[in-house]
Amino acid sequence: MIRHARVLPVLVLAPLLLTACGSEKAGDPGPSASAPASAAGPAAAPGTGELASRAQAMGVAPELVYVTEAPGFTLAEQSVGVLGDDGFSATWVDGDTNALLRLAVDRGSITAGTCPEQPVGDMSGEHTTCERDGDAWYRTGAGRHEYALPEEGHVVRVSAEQDAVPRDVLRAAALAAHRPDAAETDRLLPSAEPAPATPVERGDLPPFGDGAPDNHVDVGG
């Protein structure tokens, strides 16, 4: 006996095909599901790894490295170094007047009670005056003035000679102090990798033979 195949109407067959395709896609993880989730945690700050390696190579705590800027001032690269045990210090120079802006970051704190006891510019024995200016302290003493900004566990200071740098320029430089990004880290801190040794050319080595030094003595010694 010949059995006739049952043919479903097109209107019934179409939803079934769509359902099958949808369930297959739902079970397929796809390329994005197998990739690591980028939103699993916050991304590292730009330059953090490089900053840490360069700072530690200098003996500076990475969290104490700051950078600032002021119109007309450029970083004196040779001034970058360690302050105290693991603090940070750097100086910017005005190319026209040779005025200096010194940035210093070290562990500690500053309050209304301790501000007068802390000399400006590390010059002990000098009288220090303190004036609150927003979140910072404006300090003067020994011919210098300084803005000190207390942070968590450390203090950021920007100082200069009073007659060389106006207060408004000093204040702007202090408020501009911030943690460096990758590009600023590259300009601010020397590389953690040691400089490659430069081979020394011996002038007494002949260009032939086994390269032994030429100890030939002319007539007469």
Side-chain angles (χ1 to χ4, degrees), residues 5 12 21 30 53 67 105 119 135 137 141 148 152 158 164 173 204 211 216 219:
V12 177
C21 294
S53 61
V67 67
V105 187
D135 293 333
W137 290 97
E152 187 174 351
V158 179
D204 59 347
H216 176 72
V219 177

Side-chain angles (χ1 to χ4, degrees), residues 54-156:
R54 292 191 181 205
Q56 290 166 355
M58 295 176 59
V60 175
E63 67 272 16
L64 301 183
V65 177
Y66 279 72
V67 67
T68 190
E69 57 187 17
F73 286 82
T74 56
L75 174 69
E77 296 180 3
Q78 69 275 13
S79 70
V80 177
V82 185
L83 175 66
D85 293 332
D86 59 355
F88 177 74
S89 176
T91 300
W92 280 256
V93 184
D94 186 320
D96 295 330
T97 66
N98 291 327
L100 305 178
L101 274 175
R102 181 176 183 247
L103 170 70
V105 187
D106 206 358
R107 301 189 188 279
S109 61
I110 186 169
T111 64
T114 63
C115 182
E117 302 171 358
Q118 301 180 26
V120 178
D122 301 326
M123 301 185 69
S124 59
E126 296 289 344
H127 177 69
T128 300
T129 62
C130 298
E131 174 189 333
R132 192 73 176 178
D133 189 344
D135 293 333
W137 290 97
Y138 175 65
R139 296 155 33 83
T140 60
R144 296 182 64 80
H145 58 165
E146 171 188 277
Y147 266 92
L149 293 85
E151 298 291 346
E152 187 174 351
H154 59 274
V155 181
V156 179

Side-chain angles (χ1 to χ4, degrees), residues 5 16 24 26 56 88 119 134 153 159-160 162 172-174 186 196 212 216 221:
L16 292 177
E24 182 180 353
Q56 290 166 355
F88 177 74
S159 61
Q162 279 187 279
D186 190 53
H216 176 72

